[in-house]
Amino acid sequence: MNLKEKVTEILNVPRKAIEGDENRTLEPELGAFLVENGYIKGIEEQKHGWGFIYSSSTRKIYTSEKWMPKEKWKHCIFRVGINEEVGESFYPEPGEETKKYRFLHEVNHAYQEYLFSRESVDDPKLWHERSLQGKIDSCFSDLFNFCFQKRDNFPKRGLSIWGSAPQYDRHKDKSIINKMSEIAVRAQEDANELVTMYIWHPKYFHTFLDYLENSKEEDLKKECLLGLQKEEADYLKVVVKRYVEEMKLNLTK
């Protein structure tokens, strides 16, 4: 099995995640596109830990042979919402479903690398800075800037559990040089997870936004999340949908 076949096989998501979903075949198509264009050059399974990582330097996705521990799954996976089409929860169950979901998250990071190269051609590493300066006009820039502004006063709270993870603390990661770069890394994680939720199933994403809009502050604080006003939630519904629609067009080029 070659790399493209392996990537697309992993991205064949469970039926419950595609029934009633407008994105039905997007996941394997995205994976194939990124392999064909050199943004995914390999998959390596790590024996230690349970983390999944996309490396922009090697352009490989590093997975784990171990399942995510149940307590970590309970903390990291948003577990609300029922897909009435099949009578099952939207969220990925522990084990194989979560593996597919986490792999999709890393594939979306690979797609972000594609966007960095496309939207900041001369120097992709300057994309974040240029985005925050208003020099980039794109769906991704709009989404990233929104996530950044939400975290600006609360660096360790934001719009995803993954973006609030302790490994992005600038005192722990030497590649994160200051508060602004820490917020940028965390905001990119937030943006990536929101897109991953939408691709997994738009209604899963909408359920999460409803949760952020209607939950109590003390409950959100415990999960390192920030609440949304209705107009903010409505804005995210528009910008993430546009992002994915643009993605579909890019895959046909």
Side-chain angles (χ1 to χ4, degrees), residues 1-27:
M1 185 181 295
N2 62 35
L3 178 61
K4 184 164 74 171
E5 290 171 338
K6 189 173 182 179
V7 169
T8 55
E9 180 182 46
I10 297 173
L11 290 173
N12 281 318
V13 299
R15 174 173 172 263
K16 71 176 188 178
I18 59 174
E19 195 67 27
D21 175 16
E22 64 200 58
N23 299 323
R24 302 180 74 87
T25 63
L26 179 57
E27 289 92 335

Side-chain angles (χ1 to χ4, degrees), residues 22-23 139-140 142-143 147 190-199 202 205-206 209 233-247:
E22 64 200 58
N23 299 323
C139 296
F140 184 26
D142 290 343
L143 178 57
C147 293
D190 290 345
N192 193 59
E193 180 62 6
L194 292 174
V195 170
T196 300
M197 284 182 157
Y198 186 90
I199 294 177
F205 165 72
H206 292 158
L209 295 189
D234 289 343
Y235 174 78
L236 283 175
K237 289 175 185 177
V238 171
V239 74
V240 172
K241 181 178 176 63
R242 283 198 297 113
Y243 179 106
V244 174
E245 291 302 318
E246 179 191 81
M247 176 189 286

Side-chain angles (χ1 to χ4, degrees), residues 111-156:
Y111 180 73
Q112 289 175 343
E113 286 297 315
Y114 161 78
L115 292 179
F116 294 152
S117 297
R118 177 173 173 165
E119 297 176 2
S120 185
V121 179
D122 61 314
D123 192 343
K125 291 181 179 180
L126 291 178
W127 185 93
H128 299 85
E129 181 180 341
R130 289 171 174 172
S131 177
L132 293 170
Q133 291 172 346
K135 295 179 179 179
I136 294 177
D137 181 17
S138 71
C139 296
F140 184 26
S141 179
D142 290 343
L143 178 57
F144 168 76
N145 287 1
F146 182 91
C147 293
F148 185 96
Q149 295 304 322
K150 288 294 290 185
R151 276 195 184 267
D152 197 15
N153 294 319
F154 304 94
K156 296 181 183 179

